[in-house]
PDB file of all heavy atoms in Angstrom:
ATOM      1  N   SER A  90     -33.081 102.711 -31.282  1.00  0.00           N
ATOM      2  CA  SER A  90     -33.612 103.478 -30.151  1.00  0.00           C
ATOM      3  C   SER A  90     -34.640 104.468 -30.710  1.00  0.00           C
ATOM      4  O   SER A  90     -35.774 104.586 -30.171  1.00  0.00           O
ATOM      5  CB  SER A  90     -32.599 104.299 -29.380  1.00  0.00           C
ATOM      6  OG  SER A  90     -31.682 103.378 -28.687  1.00  0.00           O
ATOM      7  N   ARG A 133     -23.746  99.191 -40.296  1.00  0.00           N
ATOM      8  CA  ARG A 133     -22.445  99.819 -40.072  1.00  0.00           C
ATOM      9  C   ARG A 133     -21.541  99.562 -41.301  1.00  0.00           C
ATOM     10  O   ARG A 133     -21.543  98.414 -41.817  1.00  0.00           O
ATOM     11  CB  ARG A 133     -21.840  99.411 -38.781  1.00  0.00           C
ATOM     12  CG  ARG A 133     -21.819  97.912 -38.567  1.00  0.00           C
ATOM     13  CD  ARG A 133     -21.659  97.638 -37.004  1.00  0.00           C
ATOM     14  NE  ARG A 133     -21.712  96.249 -36.707  1.00  0.00           N
ATOM     15  CZ  ARG A 133     -22.402  95.724 -35.672  1.00  0.00           C
ATOM     16  NH1 ARG A 133     -23.105  96.516 -34.848  1.00  0.00           N
ATOM     17  NH2 ARG A 133     -22.420  94.367 -35.435  1.00  0.00           N
ATOM     18  N   GLN A 156     -12.155  96.745 -34.714  1.00  0.00           N
ATOM     19  CA  GLN A 156     -11.860  97.010 -33.319  1.00  0.00           C
ATOM     20  C   GLN A 156     -11.946  98.471 -32.999  1.00  0.00           C
ATOM     21  O   GLN A 156     -11.432  99.320 -33.778  1.00  0.00           O
ATOM     22  CB  GLN A 156     -10.444  96.547 -33.001  1.00  0.00           C
ATOM     23  CG  GLN A 156      -9.937  96.935 -31.593  1.00  0.00           C
ATOM     24  CD  GLN A 156     -10.473  96.063 -30.503  1.00  0.00           C
ATOM     25  OE1 GLN A 156     -10.304  94.877 -30.520  1.00  0.00           O
ATOM     26  NE2 GLN A 156     -11.144  96.694 -29.551  1.00  0.00           N
ATOM     27  N   ARG A 161     -15.501 102.297 -24.251  1.00  0.00           N
ATOM     28  CA  ARG A 161     -16.108 100.954 -23.980  1.00  0.00           C
ATOM     29  C   ARG A 161     -15.768 100.134 -25.212  1.00  0.00           C
ATOM     30  O   ARG A 161     -16.595  99.837 -26.053  1.00  0.00           O
ATOM     31  CB  ARG A 161     -17.610 101.034 -23.895  1.00  0.00           C
ATOM     32  CG  ARG A 161     -18.212 102.027 -22.893  1.00  0.00           C
ATOM     33  CD  ARG A 161     -19.652 102.292 -23.123  1.00  0.00           C
ATOM     34  NE  ARG A 161     -20.542 101.646 -22.166  1.00  0.00           N
ATOM     35  CZ  ARG A 161     -21.849 101.753 -22.139  1.00  0.00           C
ATOM     36  NH1 ARG A 161     -22.501 102.533 -23.005  1.00  0.00           N
ATOM     37  NH2 ARG A 161     -22.578 101.143 -21.276  1.00  0.00           N
ATOM     38  N   PRO A 162     -14.473  99.668 -25.265  1.00  0.00           N
ATOM     39  CA  PRO A 162     -13.990  99.034 -26.467  1.00  0.00           C
ATOM     40  C   PRO A 162     -14.805  97.792 -26.840  1.00  0.00           C
ATOM     41  O   PRO A 162     -15.286  97.058 -25.952  1.00  0.00           O
ATOM     42  CB  PRO A 162     -12.548  98.676 -26.159  1.00  0.00           C
ATOM     43  CG  PRO A 162     -12.455  98.671 -24.694  1.00  0.00           C
ATOM     44  CD  PRO A 162     -13.469  99.689 -24.186  1.00  0.00           C
ATOM     45  N   VAL A 164     -15.505  94.948 -30.573  1.00  0.00           N
ATOM     46  CA  VAL A 164     -15.158  94.579 -31.959  1.00  0.00           C
ATOM     47  C   VAL A 164     -16.508  94.393 -32.679  1.00  0.00           C
ATOM     48  O   VAL A 164     -17.262  93.549 -32.339  1.00  0.00           O
ATOM     49  CB  VAL A 164     -14.354  93.264 -32.049  1.00  0.00           C
ATOM     50  CG1 VAL A 164     -14.100  92.893 -33.513  1.00  0.00           C
ATOM     51  CG2 VAL A 164     -13.055  93.369 -31.317  1.00  0.00           C
ATOM     52  N   ASP A 166     -18.403  93.002 -35.504  1.00  0.00           N
ATOM     53  CA  ASP A 166     -18.452  92.026 -36.621  1.00  0.00           C
ATOM     54  C   ASP A 166     -19.361  92.641 -37.730  1.00  0.00           C
ATOM     55  O   ASP A 166     -20.052  93.586 -37.424  1.00  0.00           O
ATOM     56  CB  ASP A 166     -19.046  90.718 -36.208  1.00  0.00           C
ATOM     57  CG  ASP A 166     -18.222  89.947 -35.250  1.00  0.00           C
ATOM     58  OD1 ASP A 166     -17.021  90.220 -35.116  1.00  0.00           O
ATOM     59  OD2 ASP A 166     -18.746  89.028 -34.570  1.00  0.00           O
ATOM     60  N   ASP A 185     -26.666 104.306 -31.490  1.00  0.00           N
ATOM     61  CA  ASP A 185     -26.663 103.166 -30.594  1.00  0.00           C
ATOM     62  C   ASP A 185     -25.282 102.564 -30.527  1.00  0.00           C
ATOM     63  O   ASP A 185     -24.800 102.223 -29.462  1.00  0.00           O
ATOM     64  CB  ASP A 185     -27.649 102.072 -31.063  1.00  0.00           C
ATOM     65  CG  ASP A 185     -29.110 102.469 -30.842  1.00  0.00           C
ATOM     66  OD1 ASP A 185     -29.417 103.294 -29.930  1.00  0.00           O
ATOM     67  OD2 ASP A 185     -30.016 101.980 -31.576  1.00  0.00           O
ATOM     68  N   ASN A 188     -22.716 104.877 -28.840  1.00  0.00           N
ATOM     69  CA  ASN A 188     -22.906 104.888 -27.388  1.00  0.00           C
ATOM     70  C   ASN A 188     -22.431 103.540 -26.802  1.00  0.00           C
ATOM     71  O   ASN A 188     -21.832 103.511 -25.727  1.00  0.00           O
ATOM     72  CB  ASN A 188     -24.396 105.121 -27.025  1.00  0.00           C
ATOM     73  CG  ASN A 188     -24.737 106.571 -27.177  1.00  0.00           C
ATOM     74  OD1 ASN A 188     -23.933 107.471 -27.011  1.00  0.00           O
ATOM     75  ND2 ASN A 188     -26.016 106.802 -27.475  1.00  0.00           N
ATOM     76  N   ALA A 189     -22.759 102.457 -27.516  1.00  0.00           N
ATOM     77  CA  ALA A 189     -22.354 101.156 -26.976  1.00  0.00           C
ATOM     78  C   ALA A 189     -20.819 101.017 -26.837  1.00  0.00           C
ATOM     79  O   ALA A 189     -20.338 100.312 -25.984  1.00  0.00           O
ATOM     80  CB  ALA A 189     -22.924 100.024 -27.876  1.00  0.00           C
TER      81      ALA A 189
ATOM     82  N   SER B  90     -27.851 107.141 -24.535  1.00  0.00           N
ATOM     83  CA  SER B  90     -28.957 107.843 -25.344  1.00  0.00           C
ATOM     84  C   SER B  90     -29.897 108.575 -24.385  1.00  0.00           C
ATOM     85  O   SER B  90     -30.261 109.748 -24.627  1.00  0.00           O
ATOM     86  CB  SER B  90     -29.720 106.824 -26.153  1.00  0.00           C
ATOM     87  OG  SER B  90     -28.975 106.285 -27.180  1.00  0.00           O
ATOM     88  N   ARG B 133     -21.206  97.023 -18.743  1.00  0.00           N
ATOM     89  CA  ARG B 133     -21.754  95.700 -19.146  1.00  0.00           C
ATOM     90  C   ARG B 133     -21.100  94.623 -18.246  1.00  0.00           C
ATOM     91  O   ARG B 133     -19.908  94.731 -17.945  1.00  0.00           O
ATOM     92  CB  ARG B 133     -21.529  95.501 -20.614  1.00  0.00           C
ATOM     93  CG  ARG B 133     -20.174  95.762 -21.084  1.00  0.00           C
ATOM     94  CD  ARG B 133     -20.180  95.918 -22.611  1.00  0.00           C
ATOM     95  NE  ARG B 133     -18.892  96.290 -23.215  1.00  0.00           N
ATOM     96  CZ  ARG B 133     -18.752  97.290 -24.095  1.00  0.00           C
ATOM     97  NH1 ARG B 133     -19.758  97.933 -24.572  1.00  0.00           N
ATOM     98  NH2 ARG B 133     -17.579  97.537 -24.618  1.00  0.00           N
ATOM     99  N   GLN B 156     -18.700  87.330 -27.100  1.00  0.00           N
ATOM    100  CA  GLN B 156     -19.202  87.297 -28.502  1.00  0.00           C
ATOM    101  C   GLN B 156     -20.764  87.236 -28.447  1.00  0.00           C
ATOM    102  O   GLN B 156     -21.301  86.398 -27.687  1.00  0.00           O
ATOM    103  CB  GLN B 156     -18.657  86.060 -29.217  1.00  0.00           C
ATOM    104  CG  GLN B 156     -19.309  85.801 -30.551  1.00  0.00           C
ATOM    105  CD  GLN B 156     -18.793  86.709 -31.705  1.00  0.00           C
ATOM    106  OE1 GLN B 156     -17.581  86.734 -31.922  1.00  0.00           O
ATOM    107  NE2 GLN B 156     -19.710  87.415 -32.333  1.00  0.00           N
ATOM    108  N   ARG B 161     -26.856  91.703 -35.326  1.00  0.00           N
ATOM    109  CA  ARG B 161     -25.695  92.575 -35.695  1.00  0.00           C
ATOM    110  C   ARG B 161     -24.549  92.082 -34.756  1.00  0.00           C
ATOM    111  O   ARG B 161     -24.188  92.778 -33.791  1.00  0.00           O
ATOM    112  CB  ARG B 161     -25.987  94.049 -35.406  1.00  0.00           C
ATOM    113  CG  ARG B 161     -27.217  94.623 -36.046  1.00  0.00           C
ATOM    114  CD  ARG B 161     -27.639  95.906 -35.414  1.00  0.00           C
ATOM    115  NE  ARG B 161     -27.268  97.048 -36.307  1.00  0.00           N
ATOM    116  CZ  ARG B 161     -27.587  98.302 -35.971  1.00  0.00           C
ATOM    117  NH1 ARG B 161     -28.137  98.639 -34.770  1.00  0.00           N
ATOM    118  NH2 ARG B 161     -27.269  99.296 -36.789  1.00  0.00           N
ATOM    119  N   PRO B 162     -23.933  90.959 -35.074  1.00  0.00           N
ATOM    120  CA  PRO B 162     -22.966  90.311 -34.155  1.00  0.00           C
ATOM    121  C   PRO B 162     -21.786  91.309 -33.850  1.00  0.00           C
ATOM    122  O   PRO B 162     -21.361  91.995 -34.728  1.00  0.00           O
ATOM    123  CB  PRO B 162     -22.520  89.086 -34.848  1.00  0.00           C
ATOM    124  CG  PRO B 162     -22.892  89.287 -36.308  1.00  0.00           C
ATOM    125  CD  PRO B 162     -24.020  90.207 -36.262  1.00  0.00           C
ATOM    126  N   VAL B 164     -18.313  91.690 -30.670  1.00  0.00           N
ATOM    127  CA  VAL B 164     -17.626  91.147 -29.494  1.00  0.00           C
ATOM    128  C   VAL B 164     -17.474  92.356 -28.538  1.00  0.00           C
ATOM    129  O   VAL B 164     -16.762  93.293 -28.835  1.00  0.00           O
ATOM    130  CB  VAL B 164     -16.204  90.647 -29.836  1.00  0.00           C
ATOM    131  CG1 VAL B 164     -15.473  90.162 -28.606  1.00  0.00           C
ATOM    132  CG2 VAL B 164     -16.328  89.484 -30.849  1.00  0.00           C
ATOM    133  N   ASP B 166     -15.631  93.926 -25.711  1.00  0.00           N
ATOM    134  CA  ASP B 166     -14.522  93.903 -24.820  1.00  0.00           C
ATOM    135  C   ASP B 166     -15.000  94.396 -23.505  1.00  0.00           C
ATOM    136  O   ASP B 166     -16.039  94.986 -23.366  1.00  0.00           O
ATOM    137  CB  ASP B 166     -13.385  94.821 -25.331  1.00  0.00           C
ATOM    138  CG  ASP B 166     -12.747  94.301 -26.601  1.00  0.00           C
ATOM    139  OD1 ASP B 166     -12.893  93.113 -26.882  1.00  0.00           O
ATOM    140  OD2 ASP B 166     -12.102  95.136 -27.291  1.00  0.00           O
ATOM    141  N   ASP B 185     -28.532 100.731 -25.478  1.00  0.00           N
ATOM    142  CA  ASP B 185     -27.683 101.120 -26.571  1.00  0.00           C
ATOM    143  C   ASP B 185     -26.878  99.869 -27.043  1.00  0.00           C
ATOM    144  O   ASP B 185     -26.751  99.646 -28.242  1.00  0.00           O
ATOM    145  CB  ASP B 185     -26.606 102.208 -26.105  1.00  0.00           C
ATOM    146  CG  ASP B 185     -27.248 103.543 -25.892  1.00  0.00           C
ATOM    147  OD1 ASP B 185     -28.247 103.851 -26.508  1.00  0.00           O
ATOM    148  OD2 ASP B 185     -26.685 104.318 -25.080  1.00  0.00           O
ATOM    149  N   ASN B 188     -29.202  97.326 -28.731  1.00  0.00           N
ATOM    150  CA  ASN B 188     -29.511  97.791 -30.138  1.00  0.00           C
ATOM    151  C   ASN B 188     -28.311  97.716 -31.013  1.00  0.00           C
ATOM    152  O   ASN B 188     -28.475  97.356 -32.233  1.00  0.00           O
ATOM    153  CB  ASN B 188     -30.007  99.219 -30.065  1.00  0.00           C
ATOM    154  CG  ASN B 188     -31.415  99.312 -29.557  1.00  0.00           C
ATOM    155  OD1 ASN B 188     -32.228  98.403 -29.766  1.00  0.00           O
ATOM    156  ND2 ASN B 188     -31.757 100.491 -28.997  1.00  0.00           N
ATOM    157  N   ALA B 189     -27.154  97.986 -30.508  1.00  0.00           N
ATOM    158  CA  ALA B 189     -25.872  97.971 -31.365  1.00  0.00           C
ATOM    159  C   ALA B 189     -25.668  96.577 -31.864  1.00  0.00           C
ATOM    160  O   ALA B 189     -25.095  96.359 -32.983  1.00  0.00           O
ATOM    161  CB  ALA B 189     -24.748  98.532 -30.578  1.00  0.00           C
TER     162      ALA B 189
END
Side-chain angles (χ1 to χ4, degrees):
Chain A
S90 292
R133 49 200 176 224
Q156 170 77 58
R161 305 165 105 177
V164 177
D166 290 343
D185 287 333
N188 284 330
Chain B
S90 292
R133 48 198 176 226
Q156 170 78 57
R161 306 164 105 178
V164 177
D166 290 341
D185 288 332
N188 284 331

